[in-house]
């Protein structure tokens, strides 16, 4: 039997502890380690993300981490600078800066060979306080493309 597309790329995408995002629906906020049922007696274990789920989680983590935040752990360039734009108006100038910072963050991701498309724009009309980051990437050493959508709020936290 011929392997599926996902089965052929899964080893490339790695494996990690699975995260559970409280909001769900593509909002990569307030994550905690996922716990899954382990057996019929109700025992639980830590969840694992692999393949495309791990890749998506890794990209979300990279983009949701402020650049320099992990410097004390030996990763000074991990993350993105687009968080510096919180509080800025939801206008094309801000979208272009978000796109620049996201592209800079993704160039350090070894699983991405090339970003094929990246757009940033308002999630709502008229624009409110959030933008939508749409990405299409080509995986390293593979012809497959992966589409990702990452929402981002420009609203300053209270």
């Amino acid at each position: 039997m011929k392997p599926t597309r996902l089965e052929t790329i899964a080893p490339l995408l790695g494996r990690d502890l699975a995260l559970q995002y409280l909001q769900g629906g593509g909002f990569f906020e307030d994550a905690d380690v996922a716990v899954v049922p382990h057996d019929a007696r109700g025992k639980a274990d830590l969840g694992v993300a692999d393949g495309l789920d791990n890749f998506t989680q890794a990209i979300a983590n990279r983009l949701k981490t402020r650049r320099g935040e992990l410097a004390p752990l030996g990763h000074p360039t991990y993350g993105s600078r687009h968080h510096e734009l919180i509080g800025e108006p939801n206008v094309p100038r801000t979208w272009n800066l978000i796109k620049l910072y996201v592209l800079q963050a993704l160039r350090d991701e070894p699983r991405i060979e090339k970003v094929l498309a990246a757009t940033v724009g308002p999630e709502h009309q008229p624009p409110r306080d959030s933008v939508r980051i749409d990405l299409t990437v080509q995986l390293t050493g593979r012809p497959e493309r992966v589409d990702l959508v990452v929402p981002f709020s420009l609203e300053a936290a209270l």
Side-chain angles (χ1 to χ4, degrees):
M1 180 151 81
K2 183 179 178 185
T4 66
R5 175 180 172 257
L6 183 57
E7 289 170 338
T8 62
I9 64 173
L12 166 73
L13 302 178
R15 182 172 227 199
D16 201 350
L17 290 175
L19 296 178
Q20 181 176 0
Y21 299 96
L22 296 181
Q23 289 185 340
F27 287 90
F28 302 104
E29 303 289 338
D30 300 321
D32 202 352
V33 176
V35 177
V36 296
H38 183 63
D39 60 24
R41 294 176 295 194
K43 294 193 181 216
D45 203 349
L46 297 177
V48 174
D50 56 6
L52 198 51
D53 289 338
N54 183 55
F55 176 74
T56 303
Q57 180 176 290
I59 298 305
N61 286 342
R62 184 176 290 277
L63 295 179
K64 290 297 182 175
T65 301
R66 294 172 190 268
R67 186 174 179 93
E69 187 175 344
L70 298 181
L73 300 176
H75 303 284
T77 62
Y78 183 88
S80 177
R81 292 182 54 206
H82 71 279
H83 305 279
E84 296 170 12
L85 300 169
I86 291 174
E88 293 293 323
N90 196 349
V91 297
R93 175 191 168 278
T94 304
W95 307 336
N96 289 332
L97 285 170
I98 291 170
K99 180 178 176 179
L100 172 67
Y101 295 155
V102 165
L103 291 174
Q104 287 174 340
L106 294 181
R107 76 172 174 219
D108 295 333
E109 175 55 55
R111 290 170 278 201
I112 295 177
E113 184 168 311
K114 184 177 184 180
V115 176
L116 301 170
T119 59
V120 177
E123 278 196 299
H124 309 283
Q125 288 298 333
R128 291 185 234 163
D129 62 357
S130 62
V131 296
R132 176 182 163 125
I133 304 166
D134 289 291
L135 302 165
T136 301
V137 300
Q138 182 175 347
L139 301 174
T140 301
R142 305 293 304 183
E144 289 86 8
R145 296 175 173 201
V146 176
D147 295 318
L148 302 163
V149 176
V150 181
F152 176 66
S153 176
L154 292 163
E155 183 177 28
L158 298 176

